[in-house]
Amino acid sequence: SMEITGAVVALDSTEAVVEEAIRNNCNLVIAHHPIVFSGLKKFTGKNYVERTIIKAIKNDIAVYAIHTNLDNVQAGVNAMIAKKLSLKNTRILSPKENLLRKLVTFCPKTEAEKVRNALFEAGAGAIGNYDECSFNAEGTGTFRGNEQTNPYVGEKGKRHLENEERIETIYPQHLEGRILAALRASHPYEEIAYDIYPLLNKWQQVGSGMTGETETVFSLEDFLAHVKRSLAVPVIRYTPVEGKKVKKVAVCGGSGSFLLNDAIRAGADVFITADYKYHQFFDGDGKIVVMDVGHFESEQFTIQLLADFLKQKFPTFAVRQTGVNTNPITYYT
């Protein structure tokens, strides 16, 4: 419930970033990486995590971390990498499953448009780049109310036949409460007939990694230079594949080795990520070029992404991009 005076946006909420927030009268740090990755049982200041938390608490600084949430949305971390590399036709590399539901309901034909609009406004009916998606079919519904009812149409105690529409639409599971509230508010019946089905469909807007295509076909050497320049990285570790041409690219900010097989199945020529171990590089097996550009380097543009988003949503709010380089790694060249 605290009132926010200003925010510092950073990749990591380190002690130096908290000090920066204090100097600039900002009482909120918005970071991609959490400062706490496991439970804390004491605050003695013995390490950088405890020191950061102590300093934040003493100075009433709130720390907000987005991490995996921002990794798994269409306009998140990976979209920024794709943008910097000028990739086109981008898609989620590994979409999430079991996050979608289908709602089927029945209502009088005269009220169908009102119900549809309410469901759409609540967030139902989005498929890819399309919204307000539904399937509708006419039919006859029957019902009979007892003495405690006050039916919208028909008479209590008598079977009634009504010309109804069957409305089918999908929605993400986390919106279910809002969707059902909209259904109840817009539907004329006392007792609303509806069914909810779990779907096995992958949700293309949510998931790990991203694929895209370059404007032209690159040689591997030219693409390496393009990546180094576009992502401003000092060094790239990669697996050479002789004669490899680059057109389709898969990316994953941060530690993305778990997506290698997805990148291969997607037909990517190159997989750009970070935190690859020595033996993992062998897993490319000549099928794909694995490029490790560094963890910080792959996610550094997340700061700009968050700052731009906040400035758009809150144009009069004080948002600062951190001036602290939180990369714990320095390269000797």
Side-chain angles (χ1 to χ4, degrees):
S1 60
M2 64 189 291
E3 182 177 331
I4 303 301
T5 58
V8 172
V9 181
L11 192 65
D12 306 281
S13 50
T14 63
E15 190 174 8
V17 172
V18 173
E19 291 171 350
E20 180 184 28
I22 296 168
R23 288 195 306 271
N24 291 284
N25 194 34
C26 296
N27 58 352
L28 173 64
V29 171
I30 301 174
H32 181 49
H33 296 137
I35 183 63
V36 178
F37 274 94
S38 58
L40 296 177
K41 297 183 178 180
K42 55 189 175 182
F43 296 96
T44 63
K46 69 177 181 180
N47 56 44
Y48 78 97
V49 175
E50 292 183 13
R51 289 195 303 272
T52 301
I53 297 300
I54 291 171
K55 189 175 290 290
I57 292 172
K58 284 186 174 181
N59 291 276
D60 292 326
I61 307 292
V63 178
Y64 181 82
I66 306 173
H67 208 210
T68 311
N69 299 337
L70 199 60
D71 285 326
N72 283 275
V73 291
Q74 196 168 33
V77 174
N78 298 307
M80 281 299 288
I81 300 173
K83 181 180 179 180
K84 291 295 180 180
L85 295 174
S86 300
L87 301 183
K88 309 298 181 183
N89 304 320
T90 56
R91 294 175 61 86
I92 296 290
L93 174 59
S94 180
K96 298 292 185 183
E97 298 178 344
N98 300 317
L99 294 179
L100 294 174
R101 298 290 184 268
K102 175 179 280 190
L103 172 68
V104 178
T105 189
F106 309 84
C107 72
K109 183 174 174 56
T110 56
E111 302 293 323
E113 185 65 10
K114 176 184 176 183
V115 172
R116 268 192 299 272
N117 288 338
L119 295 174
F120 294 155
E121 289 175 8
I127 302 176
N129 292 323
Y130 293 83
D131 62 5
E132 299 192 0
C133 301
S134 69
F135 177 79
N136 306 272
E138 289 189 41
T140 302
T142 68
F143 50 83
R144 181 176 66 181
N146 61 27
E147 290 302 315
Q148 281 73 50
T149 62
N150 182 26
Y152 173 73
V153 290
E155 299 178 38
K156 64 178 67 176
K158 292 183 179 181
R159 182 191 299 166
H160 177 76
L161 280 71
E162 180 68 22
N163 185 20
E164 293 183 330
E165 277 198 24
R166 173 189 173 106
I167 303 172
E168 299 183 21
T169 189
I170 67 170
Y171 62 89
Q173 182 183 0
H174 72 274
L175 294 181
E176 187 163 295
R178 186 192 306 177
I179 301 294
L180 292 181
L183 175 64
R184 295 186 187 102
S186 62
H187 203 292
Y189 287 171
E190 285 185 306
E191 297 291 348
I192 304 171
Y194 68 91
D195 304 313
I196 293 176
Y197 301 96
L199 299 179
L200 296 178
N201 305 46
K202 293 182 178 181
W203 190 10
Q204 188 57 49
Q205 281 72 40
V206 174
S208 304
M210 185 164 279
T211 61
E213 297 177 349
T214 59
E215 288 279 10
T216 59
V217 177
F218 283 85
S219 68
L220 179 55
E221 184 176 355
D222 287 344
F223 187 70
L224 282 163
H226 173 63
V227 172
K228 193 174 190 296
R229 180 175 59 254
S230 301
L231 299 186
V233 296
V235 65
I236 300 173
R237 299 191 302 154
Y238 74 100
T239 56
V241 177
E242 188 174 351
K244 189 70 169 178
K245 300 295 183 182
V246 179
K247 177 65 176 177
K248 189 167 187 179
V249 179
V251 303
C252 179
S255 305
S257 59
F258 68 100
L259 288 173
L260 177 62
N261 289 330
D262 294 275
I264 293 172
R265 283 192 293 268
D269 304 303
V270 172
F271 179 40
I272 300 172
T273 187
D275 295 346
Y276 249 73
K277 297 179 181 179
Y278 174 82
H279 290 287
Q280 291 176 320
F281 279 102
F282 288 104
D283 295 336
D285 200 20
K287 301 172 185 175
I288 192 170
V289 176
V290 176
M291 292 187 183
D292 185 328
V293 298
H295 196 121
F296 176 90
E297 289 76 12
S298 70
E299 296 179 334
Q300 60 184 308
F301 306 108
T302 303
I303 299 171
Q304 178 186 338
L305 171 69
L306 292 172
D308 290 347
F309 176 81
L310 290 169
K311 289 173 183 177
Q312 181 181 4
K313 292 290 184 180
F314 308 103
T316 61
F317 182 69
V319 177
R320 299 178 60 92
Q321 297 186 48
T322 183
V324 178
N325 179 1
T326 61
N327 190 355
I329 299 170
T330 299
Y331 300 94
Y332 177 77
T333 58

